[in-house]
Amino acid sequence: MFILTPDTIWNPGALEMRQVPRRVFGRVMIFPRRGAGVGLWLRLIFEIEVLRYLVALLPFLLGAVLFPRYALAISQAPLPMLIVIYLFEAKVLRLSKPAAKALASEAEVERGLDLLRVRAVAVLSKIAAGRGMAEGRLHLVVEQSEMWRMPPLTLVSVQSEAGPEVMRLSVDERALLAGLFDDGFSERDLLRVNLAAGACLRDVAFDVRGVSAHARLAALIG
């Protein structure tokens, strides 16, 4: 999971938005600040379509290098290349629609999304209480890559309708987001639910007027 805020990436301008939720995959490239692991960098780089296409076409590139006499013929065979790219994207990295739907039953999808919603509301309530917000709507947005056969890549952000904007989060607020996933409900579990439901972006909205007096008091004491 990567928490997306203007303070965690080198290019915060990529988070400018006109409406909630702000999508990332397929629209902008983000560059994490120092502290991000190599695995996260590689996973983000793999989201770039052109680079994935190069991986799929690697056999053609190797063939042209190892057999120079056939290099011209290989370079002039676009149809096989397109077929290889399609098979790599649709069959190797992703699941077909029937296979994706079979990952989870409707009941499992509902339970997973309900659990995400409950945890998201709890996080947003604590953030709103900690900031002393009296009005407005916050959104906890969870976006995942659709590639099932790769390690899950999950982007989590708190977005405000005021602006609208992707909010800057303190270290303590980012720590609250860690509670979205655990051994009982992991990123892979959410991806399974998302693929079965056919949507990999989840937006949980919360009206801050719903923050309880107890939550506000606990934030004040804290």
Side-chain angles (χ1 to χ4, degrees):
M1 179 180 71
F2 180 68
I3 299 174
L4 199 59
T5 79
D7 296 322
T8 58
I9 61 174
W10 287 110
N11 55 330
L15 301 182
E16 292 181 0
M17 57 194 296
R18 295 183 179 179
Q19 63 183 23
V20 177
R22 176 67 165 97
R23 293 177 179 268
V24 174
F25 290 129
R27 300 193 178 188
V28 296
M29 178 65 183
I30 58 173
F31 300 94
R33 286 184 176 273
R34 282 177 295 182
V38 175
L40 175 61
W41 271 104
L42 291 176
R43 190 63 186 80
L44 286 170
I45 291 173
F46 202 74
E47 286 296 316
I48 302 174
E49 289 185 346
V50 174
L51 297 182
R52 293 203 307 273
Y53 296 166
L54 290 177
V55 172
L57 296 176
L58 191 58
F60 293 93
L61 299 176
L62 291 176
V65 172
L66 297 175
F67 306 100
R69 69 175 66 182
Y70 300 115
L72 182 59
I74 292 174
S75 65
Q76 294 179 344
L79 184 57
M81 293 183 184
L82 291 176
I83 292 175
V84 168
I85 289 175
Y86 168 76
L87 292 175
F88 183 68
E89 288 283 323
K91 304 298 183 181
V92 176
L93 297 179
R94 293 176 171 84
L95 296 175
S96 64
K97 287 186 177 180
K101 192 170 184 179
L103 288 174
S105 66
E106 291 186 9
E108 289 174 321
V109 170
E110 285 188 21
R111 283 196 298 269
L113 295 182
D114 283 344
L115 181 57
L116 177 66
R117 192 177 300 111
V118 168
R119 293 182 177 184
V121 167
V123 169
L124 293 175
S125 178
K126 291 179 181 178
I127 290 176
R131 294 185 176 216
M133 298 178 65
E135 60 181 14
R137 284 172 63 85
L138 300 181
H139 295 251
L140 198 151
V141 179
V142 182
E143 186 176 5
Q144 290 190 303
S145 168
E146 298 177 353
M147 297 183 204
W148 173 252
R149 294 189 176 92
M150 296 290 292
L153 178 57
T154 308
L155 304 180
V156 179
S157 62
V158 177
Q159 302 178 16
S160 171
E161 292 184 3
E165 65 174 355
V166 176
M167 295 176 60
R168 295 180 181 273
L169 301 176
S170 67
V171 174
D172 290 338
E173 289 171 336
R174 291 179 215 166
L176 292 174
L177 292 174
L180 288 176
F181 303 106
D182 55 26
D183 293 338
F185 186 67
S186 65
E187 293 177 54
R188 174 66 70 175
D189 292 328
L190 177 61
L191 181 58
R192 179 169 54 85
V193 164
N194 281 339
L195 291 177
C200 284
L201 183 141
R202 298 296 168 186
D203 174 17
V204 179
F206 177 70
D207 190 328
V208 302
R209 289 176 296 182
V211 178
S212 66
H214 179 270
R216 295 187 184 279
L217 180 60
L220 182 63
I221 295 175

